[in-house]
Amino acid sequence: MTGKSQGERRVGLLNGFAAYGMWGLVPLFWPLLKPAGAIEILAHRMAWSLVFVAAALVFVRRWAWAGELIRQPRRLALIALAAAVITVNWGLYIWSVNTGHVVEASLGYFINPLVTIAMGVLLLKERLRPVQWAAVGVGFAAVIVLTIGYGRPPWISLVLAFSFATYGLVKKKVNLGGVESLAAETAIQFLPAVAYLAWLTAQGESTFASEGAGHVALLAATGVVTALPLVCFGAAAIRVPLSTLGLLQYLAPVFQFLLGVLYFHEAMPAERWAGFALVWLALTLLTADAWRSARRSRVAELSVPRVDQPKSAAVDA
């Protein structure tokens, strides 16, 4: 590996740690926005995200994709679907953090890979390897154990996992860069968000102008909190292998889980530990299987005989 490629990989890893680290620590941010409610915070997040991303795109002069997208109704419809699904995901996550359900929210992102695999089987008719089937089965058992532990299905986790898995599936079909996709999605979200904020202000229930300059700055910062990790993720995705990103993705729910238990002091009775242990077992199976599959692919590539390049003709003096 050349010095340049090593440097690129190092930059990619740093960006990956930054992206998933910020996503993992974001539960510390949402409580700072109180007394704003979850829906008001969500509306500000949608509006300010567009402002931030649009400014970034103006700075890098990357707008050609927008004209092409407008002329493609099917992709626009998919973008609208992605915007709707991520709105549900963002709103529920903010609500869950600010109402003391950080651990259950973290579970949603732990089981997200399992839900993604299940959706691949059900919707895309993908075939699973035996270890993947075992992981899905263990994950299903975890949900049953957690349902018993909570006295109800872990609906916050399930909605977060299914909404984010659906979002990923739609974005794969749209095939648009991360920053560009966020710009398109927040452009769709912008008018409803601003309309809701205007209505809230008219009702005298908005906190934007009533809690001081610091509160205004924090609400505006929701755009940075949303877009900056995505920018870092984009920088990582083009520099490190997919298998490495697959491991880094677990940083976010690990941080969220630790914050829920150690910082927010949420209860973790034995049955919840048992449910989480089953989820972690399922993820271990998935990760081990993915690494084994990636290594076999590399070995197969190396075993393919390379065709020697023809040597240039030389003339003896």
Side-chain angles (χ1 to χ4, degrees):
M1 183 178 289
T2 64
K4 182 178 179 181
S5 62
Q6 285 180 340
E8 286 284 296
R9 185 181 177 90
R10 193 176 299 114
V11 169
L13 283 172
L14 288 174
N15 275 282
F17 278 113
Y20 287 108
M22 284 186 278
W23 280 324
L25 296 176
V26 78
L28 295 173
F29 178 72
W30 303 124
L32 300 178
L33 303 180
K34 293 178 178 179
I39 300 179
E40 182 181 1
I41 296 172
L42 172 64
H44 277 286
R45 184 180 191 180
M46 294 190 294
W48 290 108
S49 293
L50 178 61
V51 173
F52 182 83
V53 175
L57 289 173
V58 167
F59 179 76
V60 298
R61 299 180 180 179
R62 210 159 70 206
W63 285 105
W65 59 272
E68 297 175 5
L69 183 62
I70 291 173
R71 294 190 293 271
Q72 298 176 320
R74 182 178 178 276
R75 291 182 80 194
L76 274 177
L78 288 173
I79 287 286
L81 177 59
V85 171
I86 202 62
T87 296
V88 172
N89 185 275
W90 286 355
L92 179 58
Y93 186 78
I94 293 167
W95 177 85
S96 63
V97 169
N98 283 0
T99 55
H101 296 89
V102 176
V103 169
E104 191 174 350
S106 75
L107 176 64
Y109 294 102
F110 274 125
I111 66 176
N112 177 67
L114 300 171
V115 172
T116 300
I117 288 176
M119 289 178 67
V121 173
L122 296 174
L123 300 179
L124 304 179
K125 308 303 180 184
E126 294 179 355
R127 299 183 63 182
L128 299 186
R129 294 184 291 272
V131 175
Q132 292 175 313
W133 275 116
V136 172
V138 172
F140 183 73
V143 171
I144 294 175
V145 171
L146 288 164
T147 297
I148 296 171
Y150 280 106
R152 57 170 174 78
W155 67 270
I156 293 174
S157 309
L158 293 173
V159 173
L160 288 174
F162 274 93
S163 61
F164 201 72
T166 303
Y167 179 67
L169 179 64
V170 173
K171 284 187 65 114
K172 183 174 290 189
K173 290 183 176 295
V174 171
N175 193 26
L176 194 63
V179 176
E180 293 86 348
S181 179
L182 181 62
E185 291 155 20
T186 51
I188 292 171
Q189 295 171 328
F190 185 78
L191 287 180
V194 171
Y196 175 77
L197 292 173
W199 176 83
L200 207 62
T201 301
Q203 297 295 311
E205 298 179 6
S206 172
T207 66
F208 184 69
S210 62
E211 299 295 324
H215 187 67
V216 170
L218 285 171
L219 286 172
T222 55
V224 180
V225 169
T226 300
L228 187 57
L230 189 64
V231 172
C232 293
F233 174 79
I238 61 175
R239 290 178 173 89
V240 299
L242 192 60
S243 57
T244 303
L245 277 181
L247 287 177
L248 288 176
Q249 73 173 329
Y250 297 129
L251 284 177
V254 165
F255 286 164
Q256 293 165 10
F257 175 80
L258 292 175
L259 283 174
V261 174
L262 302 177
Y263 182 80
F264 293 103
H265 304 293
E266 294 184 18
M268 279 295 293
E271 59 271 18
R272 291 185 195 171
W273 280 111
F276 270 86
L278 286 172
V279 170
W280 295 331
L281 172 60
L283 295 178
T284 301
L285 291 172
L286 275 185
T287 303
D289 181 69
W291 273 100
R292 185 163 51 248
S293 178
R295 192 164 70 176
R296 284 175 181 171
S297 297
R298 285 195 296 269
V299 170
E301 289 175 3
L302 292 174
S303 65
V304 175
R306 302 176 67 180
V307 179
D308 293 329
Q309 296 293 326
K311 295 180 180 180
S312 58
V315 178
D316 291 334

